[in-house]
Amino acid sequence: MSGLPVAAPTLLERAGRAGRAGSLLAVLAAGLIWVALLAPIIALLLHLSPSSIVSSLTASGAFAPTVISLEASGTTVGVLILAGTPLAWLLAHDRLPLPRLWEAGLLASLLLPPLVIGLLLIFMVGPLTPIGAALSVIHLSASNTFFALVVAEVYESAPYYVLGALTAFRSVDGRLEEQAAILGDRPGRAFLRVTLPLAAGGLAMALATAWARSIGAFGAVIIIAYHPFGLPLQIWTTLQETGLASALPFALVLLVVALPLPLLVYGWSARAQGRDRG
Amino acid sequence: MSGLPVAAPTLLERAGRAGRAGSLLAVLAAGLIWVALLAPIIALLLHLSPSSIVSSLTASGAFAPTVISLEASGTTVGVLILAGTPLAWLLAHDRLPLPRLWEAGLLASLLLPPLVIGLLLIFMVGPLTPIGAALSVIHLSASNTFFALVVAEVYESAPYYVLGALTAFRSVDGRLEEQAAILGDRPGRAFLRVTLPLAAGGLAMALATAWARSIGAFGAVIIIAYHPFGLPLQIWTTLQETGLASALPFALVLLVVALPLPLLVYGWSARAQGRDRG
Amino acid sequence: MLRVAIEVERRRFQVAADFEVAAGERMSLFGPSGSGKTTILETITGLVRPRTGEIRLGDRILLRTAAPAMDLPVWRRRVGLLRQNPALFPHLSVDQNLTYGQGRRRAQDPEELIRRLELGDLGRARPAQLSGGQAHRVAAARLLLADHDALFLDEPYTGLDRRLARLLTDLIRDTAERRHLPTVMVTHELPEAQAFADTMAVLDEGRVLQRGHASEIVRRPASRRVAELVGYVDFLGLPEGGTLGLHPDRIRPGASPGLGRVLRGTVRRRRPSGAVWEADLEVASSPTATLTCRFDDVPPDPGADCEVTLLDPPRFDRDGKLTAETAR
Amino acid sequence: MLRVAIEVERRRFQVAADFEVAAGERMSLFGPSGSGKTTILETITGLVRPRTGEIRLGDRILLRTAAPAMDLPVWRRRVGLLRQNPALFPHLSVDQNLTYGQGRRRAQDPEELIRRLELGDLGRARPAQLSGGQAHRVAAARLLLADHDALFLDEPYTGLDRRLARLLTDLIRDTAERRHLPTVMVTHELPEAQAFADTMAVLDEGRVLQRGHASEIVRRPASRRVAELVGYVDFLGLPEGGTLGLHPDRIRPGASPGLGRVLRGTVRRRRPSGAVWEADLEVASSPTATLTCRFDDVPPDPGADCEVTLLDPPRFDRDGKLTAETAR
Amino acid sequence: GGSPAATKPKSTPKPSGTANVAYAASLENLNEKVIGPDFTKKTGYPYQGRGAGSKAVSADIASGEISPNVFESVGGKPIEALEPKFTSWYVQFAASPIVLAYNPQSQYASQFEAIAKGTKPISSLFSLLETPGLKLGRTDPNVDPQGAAFIEMLMLAQQTYNLPSDTVQNILGAPASSSSSPEIFDEAAVLPRLQAGQLDCSSAYLSEAVQLHLKYISLPASINLGDPSKAADYAKATFTLASGEAATGAPAVIDITTIGTTDKAAADAFVAYVLSSKGLALHKQGGYSLLKPKIFGKKSAAPAAVRKEIS
Ligand SMILES: Nc1ncnc2c1ncn2[C@@H]1O[C@H](COP(=O)(O)OP(=O)(O)OP(=O)(O)O)[C@@H](O)[C@H]1O
Ligand SMILES: Nc1ncnc2c1ncn2[C@@H]1O[C@H](COP(=O)(O)OP(=O)(O)OP(=O)(O)O)[C@@H](O)[C@H]1O
Ligand SMILES: [Mg+2]
Ligand SMILES: [Mg+2]
């Protein structure tokens, strides 16, 4: 969003003679932290022999969990976008009374560990609860169904998405939204044409986080949706059943199938904001 | 950060005659989504009888996990701030070559499910690994120690913090940082006086998320740091040992002890940005 | 026709405005920095909410705080405002910014506008690649291309040289005339204000001090304060009481008794100003006064005496109000 | 002393500047919108990196692209720049903004500055509560209070009325003189540029067309293009070849053959301008030309004929270069 | 057995090495919260544990993915799979029979209670479990030994009480090999779900039912898989898992052994501690029924300290 009229300098261009050593040091330090952060992934790659990957992935039923994970997380992210975005927008624009209270609620919901969410979901939507009974009238059940899986994933990821989107919307310069209104845009149009592209960076981050939370959702999922099996449960049960060697390849699968979406979203955000960086 | 010269209007003030019905509807819809989001917490509060809370919390050894959780998450967040903030800042300011690659790495590390992180940490820092051996030389062990707990929590929460801080720094108007430099601020000073307060909203969100992730960390923790017990493990073992009724009060404890920090951080961010809202 | 009667709370005073602008009328709003000009425009546009008031545009009520209350949101008011900060959309190219507000009804031919504002080769540039004046011109063009029922321009000349300023004035005039819009312009440049506007309102600390024809206000400011605001830099105390307002443009070097009162003074300082010169003269009148006068050529050396003629200066009484008789 | 020799790539042309400003010298940079003024200032400040060049300030090298290469970061250059966008820190109060850059060495007495810029009662306000002109004044004061080795002002008069503009000019002059700084100001107002500066550089499409004393440039623009830029709005083709540059301020109504060449024309339009009037005259000379002339009082009715005297107009040859002999 | 303090070898003044224990997941709570800390307190050896399915642990040890020095398994087969490379003996010391836990608020509670009290015959339990709409919870037979044991228990019951031949089918509501019957939950979820009132009854180990103070129906030894002496009978219950392997009824007994030679002293001390009177008592408290410790495989290979506890 920076409007600075500075042609992006390359690293070494920018650093003056005196600054160069400092910058190299900074890059080194950053690199170290980054590699430390990626260490588990490196460990994963080092640990997988090609043969173990092939044998785990070609085992019967290894494909289905991937599909289910993608479907459920896709649905989850869809639900979050539809329900969470308006809430975040209203909060960011101070359209709701007592904004602090709303925020506190979101923060609290962020703090429930997934396992606890799962246990509480039993109380909320178990078959013998009022909601569960109501659901069964429309032939839905929130235990051990795709629906239950989505419910669990939504609850694991929603606070991350809503808080992220809220922050993203808040970082948009209000004058530009006012400008859109002056030029005749209804709030909805202004949202699509101005707020959304300008909040793209923060939204990408909110989406990536929500996606990661939902496709990796485990704590709540294992409690209310033991099946259909997504990848995290596949990893878990394989671990229980046949051990690490066959479980770890699925972690790689999870990485590989889950990564494109966040990468795309980040790419979109860079384009939407008109940042053209390396 | 909005510089709009508009005195904050109250909700009903702003809505014109025609808009009022729409706004009320919006508030209602937002309220519905919000309550749905908070439903697990509501369920938690409804299901706890005061007596069960008292009896769980006064059980011997019920206090220690709280202390341990706070200490470990505090340390974790400290580590993240020290190591993650510079990385995020460098990335946000395009000071690193190939920024897309760095980002992709962060996104990938976001996608490792905690359980997998735990398994991979065994390979990385287990007692029989080179790192583990090196650690043992300085009498540190990364299994079942406070150190191991922190390592697990750091890995569970780091990507959330770094990506959040990165987004926060990116949303700061570069011209203001340039202005600080013109007025003679070294990057470090400019960071403290301009970037930090202006990124406060996003940083608050990054910190709150990282805090939530670390204090609720379970998947990696249970694998490499069963001891010392923090609250999530306390909930888990109580669930195994004495059941749901005695486990849930600890979820409430977790909420109660974990909530103040994010609330404070959000309050700070609102003050730092000079937003004076409800 | 635009009818405004509003009271807006600001930091240190209240902005109270009550005026009308007929359809097709061009009014300029003149006043010192911080006097409430932007506040008035933003209130009419719907960006600032007044404490009380009513705003009508044509037969539409944009705002009414009295019952039955009414408050159209910004996007329904159809009031175009060029703000002091150009607020270009940073994620859109110049072309996309220009056509942002174009509705079904084409308000203006974009090609012509772009040509006249010399934006021809900027179409694919991003706002971050524009110079200050270029950004301002794009913002102006974007506004003129949108379809509004009234036009407000808050310092449209920011960052523009004289030539571009005049081009923009013509353009806005043409647009306002063709579309028969009530138009209000805020500017600190009196000549620009006059080149643009039929009528003028002089604002100070939130109140309208005088409203009328621009040349009328400049020639006959209703009070000393108005005179100060429209460019009278010096005031000459009269022995018979009251003061004369002295405008640098309305003082002639040399004695031309047929044209007005002649004064004698000593040159204290001189300097070039534009294509001409200015000199500060100390006048020998009873309370010593200084006045600034324009010279076509180099003024006499400092210390030298010289005579000047005051062309029809307005005269103010002890309370600072214009007195009927002028001081020939 | 500031010594600049840079080449900067911009969107459509290259900005190439090569000039010196002595310590204590005040220079104004004059040029149309988009000509590269801001680019030059931002390059010296370190916000834009030139393709090649060298910048020295006193005995310090701020930038050198040739070996041994050198590029001081912005915060070490100690070059103060007031940008077109005031860029106040939105999270700080006005007071905190003002004192932001104050180092150990107190560059200026803040009290006096605040008083002179009439910012007295704004101290606790937030930038979002300021009017456009107030924000600009705060930004200017903030810069003057910081301790720099050179001062650059990019359109410091944005949003200021004449009176405040003059106050600010005086203040910057005082500061520059007292601290003996090289100072460069960008403005579109010729009188302001002159009131402030000793010397002037006229820039167009990234090149310096003329550099010298301000009044000299206005009276004797080196080329027709410079003349256009410094306010010559009309050009009169001469039967003997070449053109005369006509500046509205340097045309007198009436025939005064002693002062200069007399022309006869027909009034086409007239309008009030500031405290005086302007009329567009169609001149009967061989290629029909229009010129704008100032009148103290209402000009003759449109259609009427009238005579005007040209005061020492510069004459340009076919290539648009100033010819030595003037056209008396 | 003797006192654990006595097993601490006086010859090594300062214990070095860690007891690195891999165990069947059902032991997690007991090992991590009780046995491990108490072991460290008594012997001075650090303890480190990790739980997973017995079969998985065995596979991971065999493939070298993990290298614990103690292995506690449910049933001897996972240990036997590691012989002779990693070990050649194990000690069986406790059993964990299957019970049926029920929800006292269930609409069927009175019938469960009658069966639990013996006022109704145990055979009627199985027709009750067939009731449509009754919500039974069990775990995944393909992943959790308890899940398979529950099915084997049903098969034994069908044989023992001469129930109609479709009884097991009706109770399971899905093929025995299926992982995705609506009744199947994760081990961690099934009992909380019962406690939350969302199930009528659930499969459970006796140890769990005791620890969690659940209402439960004990099953006779002939079907509860808790008596090693009935191993031959149990073996008659057999079905095929999703992987194609056969699941065969076997006593749900706990077997322990040491693996490899890393930190052997610590490993031996852990096994000796588990088999000491203190260790056994703690297992009993945890709801396991104690068996007389018995060495299987190459008795001579068992460490002296262990043999001492057993004798
Ligand atoms: N970041 C940039 N990258 C490339 N070109 C730019 C950039 N910023 C400005 N330009 C172009 O460089 C030229 C000079 O711009 P500059 O801002 O220096 O003009 P200026 O003389 O300050 O004009 P103004 O009076 O309108 O502020 C303009 O044509 C502009 O389009
Ligand atoms: N959001 C706000 N809240 C309270 N007071 C404000 C706000 N914005 C501006 N003011 C104050 O209201 C007064 C009028 O401001 P306004 O912006 O209308 O002035 P202006 O006439 O447009 O001045 P300028 O020519 O400097 O732009 C100023 O004194 C300013 O300090
Ligand atoms: Mg204003
Ligand atoms: Mg500029």
Side-chain angles (χ1 to χ4, degrees):
Chain A
M1 215 194 58
S2 93
L4 47 159
V6 179
T10 71
L11 179 75
L12 288 184
E13 257 186 16
R14 188 161 249 273
R17 208 195 223 172
R20 197 173 297 166
S23 275
L24 267 181
L25 214 77
V27 174
L28 276 184
L32 216 71
I33 297 170
W34 187 71
V35 168
L37 211 67
L38 291 199
I41 296 181
I42 297 166
L44 176 63
L45 295 177
L46 288 182
H47 226 82
L48 293 179
S49 63
S51 66
S52 74
I53 298 183
V54 170
S55 68
S56 317
L57 300 191
T58 51
S60 78
F63 183 61
T66 308
V67 174
I68 289 188
S69 262
L70 288 176
E71 282 177 358
S73 310
T75 314
T76 300
V77 168
V79 169
L80 290 181
I81 290 176
L82 289 181
T85 313
L87 176 60
W89 188 90
L90 287 168
L91 266 172
H93 287 78
D94 291 333
R95 293 295 174 84
L96 302 178
L98 300 176
R100 279 276 176 282
L101 179 75
W102 297 73
E103 268 179 25
L106 291 177
L107 289 174
S109 69
L110 186 71
L111 289 168
L112 277 189
L115 181 75
V116 174
I117 293 178
L119 296 173
L120 293 170
L121 281 177
I122 298 181
F123 283 123
M124 280 165 52
V125 295
L128 301 177
T129 62
I131 296 180
L135 285 174
S136 76
V137 171
I138 53 168
H139 297 286
L140 264 181
S141 156
S143 42
N144 285 347
T145 55
F146 184 80
F147 176 69
L149 179 59
V150 170
V151 168
E153 291 191 357
V154 164
Y155 276 101
E156 278 206 36
S157 48
Y160 293 83
Y161 178 74
V162 177
L163 278 172
L166 166 62
T167 312
F169 291 145
R170 259 202 197 129
S171 74
V172 174
D173 188 343
R175 281 172 302 191
L176 294 174
E177 295 173 302
E178 290 180 350
Q179 188 60 54
I182 291 173
L183 292 171
D185 272 2
R186 277 171 293 109
R189 259 175 87 77
F191 175 78
L192 290 177
R193 299 172 79 193
V194 175
T195 315
L196 200 61
L198 290 179
L203 284 178
M205 141 82 189
L207 267 180
T209 311
W211 172 255
R213 296 293 297 152
S214 67
I215 205 162
F218 180 71
V221 169
I222 198 171
I223 306 269
I224 75 160
Y226 189 74
H227 44 82
F229 264 34
L231 280 171
L233 252 82
Q234 176 75 7
I235 295 171
W236 171 248
T237 56
T238 311
L239 191 69
Q240 296 294 309
E241 198 179 354
T242 42
L244 265 175
S246 15
L248 286 182
F250 288 104
L252 188 65
V253 174
L254 182 64
L255 264 186
V256 169
V257 302
L259 200 52
L261 185 94
L263 284 182
L264 279 178
V265 169
Y266 263 75
W268 160 73
S269 90
R271 250 200 330 282
Q273 302 191 305
R275 276 193 280 129
D276 10 68
R277 303 179 306 107
Chain B
M1 217 194 59
S2 92
L4 48 158
V6 179
T10 70
L11 179 75
L12 288 184
E13 258 185 17
R14 189 162 247 274
R17 209 195 222 172
R20 196 174 296 166
S23 278
L24 269 180
L25 214 77
V27 173
L28 275 183
L32 215 71
I33 296 169
W34 187 71
V35 168
L37 212 64
L38 291 198
I41 297 182
I42 298 167
L44 176 63
L45 297 175
L46 288 181
H47 266 88
L48 292 179
S49 63
S51 67
S52 74
I53 298 183
V54 170
S55 67
S56 317
L57 301 192
T58 52
S60 77
F63 183 61
T66 308
V67 175
I68 289 186
S69 263
L70 288 176
E71 282 176 358
S73 310
T75 314
T76 300
V77 168
V79 169
L80 291 182
I81 290 176
L82 289 181
T85 313
L87 176 59
W89 188 90
L90 288 168
L91 265 173
H93 287 78
D94 291 334
R95 293 295 175 83
L96 302 179
L98 300 177
R100 280 274 175 280
L101 180 75
W102 298 73
E103 268 179 25
L106 291 177
L107 289 175
S109 69
L110 185 72
L111 288 169
L112 277 190
L115 181 74
V116 174
I117 294 178
L119 296 172
L120 294 170
L121 282 178
I122 297 185
F123 291 132
M124 281 165 50
V125 294
L128 303 178
T129 62
I131 297 181
L135 285 175
S136 77
V137 171
I138 54 167
H139 298 287
L140 263 181
S141 155
S143 40
N144 284 347
T145 56
F146 184 79
F147 175 68
L149 181 58
V150 171
V151 169
E153 291 191 357
V154 165
Y155 276 101
E156 279 205 34
S157 48
Y160 293 85
Y161 179 73
V162 178
L163 278 173
L166 165 63
T167 312
F169 291 145
R170 255 198 201 135
S171 75
V172 173
D173 188 342
R175 281 171 303 189
L176 295 174
E177 295 173 302
E178 291 180 349
Q179 187 61 55
I182 292 173
L183 292 170
D185 272 2
R186 277 172 293 110
R189 260 174 87 72
F191 175 77
L192 289 177
R193 299 171 80 194
V194 174
T195 314
L196 200 61
L198 290 179
L203 285 178
M205 141 82 189
L207 267 180
T209 310
W211 172 254
R213 294 293 298 153
S214 68
I215 204 162
F218 179 72
V221 169
I222 197 170
I223 295 198
I224 75 161
Y226 205 96
H227 296 282
F229 262 39
L231 279 170
L233 253 83
Q234 176 74 4
I235 295 171
W236 171 251
T237 58
T238 311
L239 189 68
Q240 304 286 301
E241 209 176 347
T242 42
L244 200 55
S246 8
L248 286 182
F250 289 103
L252 188 65
V253 174
L254 181 64
L255 264 187
V256 169
V257 303
L259 200 52
L261 184 94
L263 284 182
L264 278 177
V265 169
Y266 262 75
W268 160 74
S269 89
R271 251 201 328 283
Q273 302 194 303
R275 276 193 281 130
D276 9 67
R277 304 179 306 107
Chain C
M1 162 138 121
L2 173 72
R3 166 105 208 80
V4 179
I6 47 172
E7 298 190 354
V8 195
E9 293 303 335
R10 293 278 87 171
R11 229 170 24 78
R12 306 207 73 103
F13 50 77
Q14 181 175 337
V15 174
D18 189 339
F19 60 85
E20 289 182 13
V21 187
E25 180 183 342
R26 297 183 304 279
M27 178 177 118
S28 76
L29 202 54
F30 204 84
S33 173
S35 57
K37 307 181 293 297
T38 300
T39 303
I40 292 174
L41 299 193
E42 290 188 338
T43 307
I44 303 172
T45 318
L47 299 168
V48 173
R49 204 186 136 79
R51 199 168 54 72
T52 61
E54 181 167 328
I55 304 170
R56 285 166 181 271
L57 178 58
D59 46 11
R60 295 186 302 138
I61 297 178
L62 304 187
L63 173 107
R64 181 166 54 206
T65 50
M70 182 75 198
D71 186 356
L72 281 192
V74 176
W75 68 93
R76 294 250 207 83
R77 295 197 176 192
R78 303 179 48 76
V79 169
L81 168 63
L82 178 68
R83 303 180 87 173
Q84 281 172 279
N85 176 320
L88 297 185
F89 301 111
H91 58 298
L92 301 180
S93 71
V94 166
D95 272 344
Q96 290 168 320
N97 265 285
L98 285 173
T99 53
Y100 190 97
Q102 259 182 340
R104 287 118 296 157
R105 268 207 281 159
R106 268 210 167 183
Q108 191 115 7
D109 177 22
E111 302 303 325
E112 189 210 333
L113 204 78
I114 290 168
R115 192 181 42 70
R116 284 177 68 179
L117 282 176
E118 303 179 1
L119 298 172
D121 57 351
L122 296 176
R124 322 195 58 182
R126 294 261 156 192
Q129 297 172 318
L130 300 185
S131 79
Q134 287 168 341
H136 230 87
R137 277 179 280 158
V138 173
R142 175 177 67 178
L143 186 75
L144 293 179
L145 285 175
D147 182 24
H148 287 115
D149 294 347
L151 274 185
F152 298 157
L153 305 138
D154 200 352
E155 314 224 4
Y157 304 124
T158 305
L160 299 188
D161 51 275
R162 219 20 94 74
R163 198 177 56 85
L164 279 169
R166 206 41 71 92
L167 282 178
L168 183 60
T169 307
D170 291 347
L171 204 53
I172 300 173
R173 256 185 105 111
D174 288 358
T175 307
E177 256 162 24
R178 188 157 31 76
R179 283 152 64 189
H180 208 59
L181 305 176
T183 308
V184 180
M185 173 188 285
V186 168
T187 177
H188 291 298
E189 302 296 312
L190 197 55
E192 294 305 333
Q194 289 170 309
F196 171 76
D198 311 313
T199 57
M200 189 158 125
V202 178
L203 198 70
D204 191 35
E205 301 220 312
R207 327 230 133 234
V208 176
L209 298 184
Q210 191 174 359
R211 173 145 165 60
H213 260 266
S215 53
E216 183 57 31
I217 292 179
V218 176
R219 291 294 185 88
R220 293 277 156 266
S223 66
R224 200 179 141 144
R225 180 67 185 142
V226 173
E228 281 170 7
L229 296 176
V230 297
Y232 288 78
V233 287
D234 305 304
F235 291 87
L236 183 72
L238 294 174
E240 64 266 35
T243 45
L244 288 184
L246 305 184
H247 195 292
D249 282 352
R250 302 197 58 73
I251 303 178
R252 268 282 178 80
S256 322
L259 291 178
R261 181 187 283 233
V262 176
L263 290 179
R264 194 171 184 80
T266 313
V267 174
R268 285 287 164 237
R269 287 204 300 172
R270 62 184 186 189
R271 60 184 166 269
S273 171
V276 296
W277 288 78
E278 270 180 15
D280 293 339
L281 264 63
E282 206 176 285
V283 181
S285 77
S286 66
T288 337
T290 331
L291 59 81
T292 305
C293 170
R294 299 255 157 88
F295 288 79
D296 289 338
D297 230 308
V298 186
D301 292 332
D305 273 9
C306 89
E307 281 180 328
V308 296
T309 309
L310 308 183
L311 305 176
D312 193 13
R315 179 171 165 182
F316 305 99
D317 63 18
R318 256 172 256 274
D319 303 329
K321 300 198 73 159
L322 186 72
T323 56
E325 8 85 68
T326 65
R328 267 259 144 152
Chain D
M1 161 137 122
L2 174 73
R3 165 105 207 80
V4 179
I6 47 172
E7 298 191 353
V8 195
E9 293 302 338
R10 293 277 86 171
R11 227 171 24 80
R12 305 208 75 103
F13 50 78
Q14 179 175 339
V15 174
D18 189 340
F19 60 86
E20 289 182 13
V21 187
E25 180 183 343
R26 297 183 304 280
M27 178 178 118
S28 78
L29 201 54
F30 204 84
S33 172
S35 57
K37 306 179 295 295
T38 301
T39 302
I40 292 175
L41 299 193
E42 290 187 340
T43 307
I44 303 172
T45 317
L47 298 169
V48 172
R49 204 186 137 79
R51 198 168 54 74
T52 61
E54 180 167 329
I55 305 170
R56 286 168 179 271
L57 178 58
D59 45 10
R60 296 186 300 139
I61 297 177
L62 305 189
L63 173 108
R64 181 167 52 208
T65 49
M70 180 76 197
D71 186 356
L72 281 193
V74 176
W75 67 94
R76 295 246 207 85
R77 295 198 176 190
R78 302 180 48 76
V79 169
L81 169 63
L82 179 67
R83 302 179 88 173
Q84 281 174 279
N85 177 320
L88 298 185
F89 300 112
H91 58 297
L92 301 179
S93 71
V94 166
D95 273 343
Q96 290 168 319
N97 265 285
L98 285 173
T99 54
Y100 190 97
Q102 257 180 341
R104 290 118 295 156
R105 269 204 283 159
R106 264 209 172 186
Q108 190 118 5
D109 177 23
E111 302 302 324
E112 188 210 334
L113 204 79
I114 289 166
R115 192 181 42 71
R116 283 176 69 179
L117 282 176
E118 302 179 2
L119 298 172
D121 56 352
L122 296 176
R124 323 196 56 184
R126 294 262 155 189
Q129 295 173 318
L130 299 184
S131 79
Q134 287 168 343
H136 231 88
R137 277 179 281 158
V138 172
R142 175 177 67 178
L143 185 75
L144 294 180
L145 284 175
D147 182 23
H148 287 115
D149 294 346
L151 273 185
F152 298 156
L153 305 137
D154 201 352
E155 314 225 5
Y157 304 124
T158 305
L160 299 188
D161 50 274
R162 220 19 96 75
R163 199 177 55 85
L164 278 169
R166 205 41 72 92
L167 283 177
L168 184 59
T169 306
D170 291 346
L171 204 53
I172 300 172
R173 257 186 104 112
D174 289 356
T175 306
E177 255 163 24
R178 186 155 35 73
R179 285 153 63 188
H180 208 60
L181 304 176
T183 308
V184 180
M185 173 189 283
V186 168
T187 177
H188 291 297
E189 303 294 313
L190 197 54
E192 294 305 333
Q194 288 169 309
F196 170 77
D198 311 315
T199 56
M200 189 158 124
V202 178
L203 197 72
D204 192 35
E205 300 219 312
R207 327 229 134 233
V208 176
L209 299 185
Q210 192 174 0
R211 176 147 162 58
H213 261 266
S215 53
E216 183 56 33
I217 291 179
V218 176
R219 289 296 184 88
R220 294 277 157 264
S223 66
R224 198 179 143 144
R225 180 67 185 142
V226 174
E228 280 170 8
L229 296 176
V230 297
Y232 288 78
V233 288
D234 304 305
F235 292 87
L236 183 71
L238 293 174
E240 64 266 35
T243 45
L244 290 185
L246 306 184
H247 196 292
D249 282 353
R250 301 198 57 74
I251 303 178
R252 267 284 179 80
S256 321
L259 291 177
R261 182 186 283 232
V262 176
L263 289 180
R264 194 171 185 78
T266 313
V267 174
R268 286 285 165 239
R269 288 205 300 174
R270 62 184 185 190
R271 59 185 167 268
S273 169
V276 297
W277 287 80
E278 271 179 19
D280 293 340
L281 263 63
E282 207 176 284
V283 181
S285 77
S286 66
T288 335
T290 329
L291 60 81
T292 305
C293 171
R294 298 255 158 87
F295 287 79
D296 290 336
D297 230 307
V298 187
D301 291 332
D305 274 9
C306 88
E307 282 180 329
V308 295
T309 309
L310 309 182
L311 305 177
D312 193 17
R315 180 171 162 181
F316 305 100
D317 64 16
R318 254 171 258 273
D319 303 330
K321 301 199 77 162
L322 186 72
T323 55
E325 12 82 70
T326 64
R328 267 259 147 153
Chain E
S3 82
T7 67
K8 189 173 161 187
K10 287 276 183 282
S11 48
T12 44
K14 193 159 166 267
S16 74
T18 303
N20 195 340
V21 184
Y23 48 79
S26 56
L27 285 161
E28 177 185 298
N29 200 47
L30 183 67
N31 272 354
E32 297 295 335
K33 287 209 77 171
V34 184
I35 303 285
D38 196 56
F39 162 71
T40 302
K41 208 164 95 195
K42 290 282 173 355
T43 65
Y45 288 108
Y47 160 90
Q48 193 195 319
R50 187 168 109 68
S54 300
K55 269 193 295 180
V57 172
S58 171
D60 281 344
I61 293 173
S63 64
E65 290 284 354
I66 59 174
S67 32
N69 51 20
V70 177
F71 179 20
E72 281 183 275
S73 156
V74 172
K77 276 209 217 108
I79 298 183
E80 282 161 17
L82 297 173
E83 293 175 355
K85 186 169 173 208
F86 295 92
T87 185
S88 51
W89 60 275
Y90 60 90
V91 177
Q92 191 168 78
F93 66 97
S96 187
I98 293 279
V99 300
L100 192 85
Y102 65 89
N103 171 2
Q105 257 86 52
S106 155
Q107 60 180 118
Y108 308 100
S110 56
Q111 300 175 57
F112 287 127
E113 202 175 317
I115 298 167
K117 284 197 185 125
T119 51
K120 267 180 135 184
I122 204 83
S123 56
S124 67
L125 172 64
F126 301 95
S127 39
L128 175 59
L129 292 182
E130 286 178 274
T131 315
L134 176 136
K135 295 202 173 349
L136 165 72
R138 58 192 177 91
T139 59
D140 187 348
N142 293 303
V143 175
D144 183 21
Q146 190 197 123
F150 182 76
I151 297 175
E152 288 152 8
M153 180 276 287
L154 292 180
M155 296 175 109
L156 290 172
Q158 186 178 314
Q159 290 166 17
T160 310
Y161 303 111
N162 293 316
L163 302 173
S165 62
D166 58 354
T167 305
V168 174
Q169 268 315 307
N170 289 344
I171 295 176
L172 297 183
S177 63
S178 168
S179 282
S180 52
S181 150
E183 341 186 295
I184 296 181
F185 298 95
D186 185 72
E187 309 160 60
V190 65
L191 294 178
R193 200 168 259 275
L194 180 75
Q195 288 176 306
Q198 303 301 316
L199 290 176
D200 293 308
C201 61
S202 161
S203 128
Y205 282 128
L206 173 63
S207 53
E208 298 170 320
V210 169
Q211 280 196 357
L212 298 176
H213 306 290
L214 300 177
K215 298 263 187 202
Y216 64 93
I217 298 171
S218 312
L219 302 169
S222 54
I223 64 170
N224 74 4
L225 302 169
D227 185 349
S229 67
K230 297 203 161 51
D233 294 338
Y234 295 159
K236 284 185 216 150
T238 171
F239 67 98
T240 312
L241 293 172
S243 62
E245 284 175 62
T248 305
V253 288
I254 311 291
D255 298 304
I256 189 169
T257 186
T258 61
I259 300 289
T261 54
T262 326
D263 291 346
K264 185 125 180 49
D268 291 352
F270 184 81
V271 178
Y273 168 81
V274 166
L275 299 175
S276 72
S277 56
K278 179 74 194 297
L280 292 177
L282 290 176
H283 280 85
K284 187 167 168 60
Q285 267 174 36
Y288 290 88
S289 43
L290 296 183
L291 305 172
K292 171 138 182 45
K294 181 177 170 205
I295 302 185
F296 288 76
K298 229 166 98 186
K299 287 192 178 56
S300 58
V306 171
R307 282 197 310 246
K308 184 162 151 264
E309 291 295 344
I310 292 172
S311 60

